[in-house]
Amino acid sequence: MRRVTLNRPFAAALERLRAADLRPTRQRMALARLLLEGGDRHVTAEQVHSQAAESGIRVSLATVYNTLHQFQRAGLIREVVVEAGRSYFDTNVSDHHHLYFEDGGRLVDVPAAQVEIRGLPDLPPGVEVSRIDVILRASAKSK
Amino acid sequence: MRRVTLNRPFAAALERLRAADLRPTRQRMALARLLLEGGDRHVTAEQVHSQAAESGIRVSLATVYNTLHQFQRAGLIREVVVEAGRSYFDTNVSDHHHLYFEDGGRLVDVPAAQVEIRGLPDLPPGVEVSRIDVILRASAKSK
DNA sequence: ATAGTTGCAAAAGTTTTGCATTGTA
DNA sequence: TACAATGCAAAACTTTTGCAACTAT
């Protein structure tokens, strides 16, 4: 009888791709594992590309972008735009906001549960708010 | 006696540049008038560049970017990043938030006075929040 | 076979930089 | 004359597109 046991992380990534109706190709599996293992992270496409290279995975930056966008559409990750020409992909897809340290560019999650927003405007009929992004921009105290 | 009367908009733009310690060069004056006359607007660098061309002002896109950033540093305008690779410059510098229509890319101001945000996290000592951006993303109702 | 997918080279945008030119004292 | 500031061509980045190669019937 043949052993069919797959290691855990592999199986988990496979499962998530399947659930999202994305074929488990070599590149996608590699990127899925890179992103979806090891907790909440904020990474740029460029960083994902470098990390892939470090792990010995050959994949072009274009494919990284395309894959990240597919993952986003599938709800596996979120894109957060913080600055002109700098977007982060966030592996935390729970409802939350962001704290951005302008010096250094670090991005930190702020759970939405603890934040309360009131007084938002009404929208035209047929239109709905699909998402609310709150970004707190932090910098060194000027005083 | 020589007439020294300048037309109003010209004088206003001049005044604002002076107050911001920016030399009133031909290009800057032109962009200042384009941006600071005629109410609150959300424009991309590209749009400013086109409008300048239409008004017969010769200025490169690089200069438009550089000037917009100078204006931002001087507090004359604000930059709002809404989507990867798409930043808007906002001539409304009062405290406010944004409603973004994902189909079409229109951006609308939401006065901050009517919005109340509570439960924001504490920051490390020496760090302060320099700005809070709230972006409501609106799209056609899915139902 | 063949219809749909995938991954990437090349193209398209966007923003920044370096420096010749211009303006100021 | 020197010194700083300006405007832009060219360079550097970031992101998207078009299509050849691959996959799964």
Side-chain angles (χ1 to χ4, degrees):
Chain A
M1 194 212 214
R2 194 138 105 57
R3 300 274 278 85
V4 287
T5 312
L6 300 171
N7 59 54
R8 272 269 122 235
F10 182 93
L14 190 65
E15 190 41 50
R16 303 205 54 183
L17 289 186
R18 286 222 174 105
D21 264 321
L22 294 169
R23 284 200 211 161
T25 62
R26 171 187 297 287
Q27 282 84 341
R28 274 220 275 259
M29 280 295 287
L31 296 180
R33 297 191 49 184
L34 222 64
L35 285 165
L36 307 176
E37 290 168 20
D40 297 340
R41 304 174 56 208
H42 300 101
V43 284
T44 62
E46 187 56 65
Q47 286 168 352
V48 173
H49 185 240
S50 307
Q51 283 183 27
E54 278 166 31
S55 320
I57 300 151
R58 282 191 62 267
V59 61
S60 75
L61 185 54
T63 296
V64 171
Y65 270 103
N66 290 340
T67 305
L68 289 173
H69 286 144
Q70 287 167 346
F71 284 5
Q72 184 188 219
R73 244 169 283 134
L76 298 175
I77 61 176
R78 269 176 53 171
E79 187 170 3
V80 186
V81 187
V82 159
E83 249 180 25
R86 177 172 240 168
S87 62
Y88 288 88
F89 292 88
D90 187 348
T91 63
N92 176 359
V93 292
S94 71
D95 191 13
H96 69 285
H97 303 302
H98 291 101
L99 172 59
Y100 180 63
F101 291 89
E102 287 176 322
D103 23 285
R106 214 163 65 89
L107 198 57
V108 175
D109 287 346
V110 177
Q114 87 183 36
V115 179
E116 196 188 345
I117 303 176
R118 260 192 276 175
L120 293 179
D122 293 333
L123 294 184
V127 175
E128 71 186 343
V129 170
S130 56
R131 180 172 141 187
I132 299 176
D133 283 332
V134 178
I135 300 180
L136 308 174
R137 288 167 202 282
S139 54
K141 233 169 225 167
S142 44
K143 199 195 326 178
Chain B
M1 191 212 215
R2 193 139 106 60
R3 300 271 281 84
V4 288
T5 311
L6 300 171
N7 60 55
R8 271 272 121 234
F10 182 93
L14 190 65
E15 189 41 51
R16 303 203 56 180
L17 289 185
R18 287 225 174 102
D21 263 322
L22 293 171
R23 284 199 210 162
T25 63
R26 171 185 296 287
Q27 281 84 341
R28 274 218 276 257
M29 279 296 287
L31 296 180
R33 297 192 49 182
L34 223 66
L35 286 166
L36 307 177
E37 289 169 23
D40 297 342
R41 305 173 57 208
H42 299 101
V43 285
T44 62
E46 187 57 63
Q47 287 168 352
V48 173
H49 185 238
S50 308
Q51 284 185 25
E54 279 167 30
S55 320
I57 300 150
R58 283 191 61 264
V59 59
S60 75
L61 185 55
T63 295
V64 171
Y65 269 103
N66 290 340
T67 304
L68 289 172
H69 286 143
Q70 287 167 344
F71 284 6
Q72 184 188 221
R73 246 169 281 133
L76 298 176
I77 59 176
R78 269 176 53 170
E79 187 169 4
V80 186
V81 187
V82 157
E83 249 182 25
R86 176 172 240 168
S87 60
Y88 288 87
F89 292 87
D90 187 347
T91 63
N92 176 358
V93 292
S94 71
D95 192 14
H96 68 285
H97 302 303
H98 290 101
L99 171 59
Y100 180 64
F101 291 89
E102 286 175 323
D103 23 284
R106 213 162 66 88
L107 198 57
V108 175
D109 287 345
V110 176
Q114 84 182 40
V115 179
E116 196 188 344
I117 303 175
R118 259 190 279 176
L120 293 179
D122 292 331
L123 294 184
V127 174
E128 70 186 344
V129 170
S130 55
R131 179 171 143 186
I132 300 176
D133 283 333
V134 177
I135 300 180
L136 309 173
R137 288 167 202 281
S139 53
K141 234 169 221 163
S142 45
K143 200 194 322 175

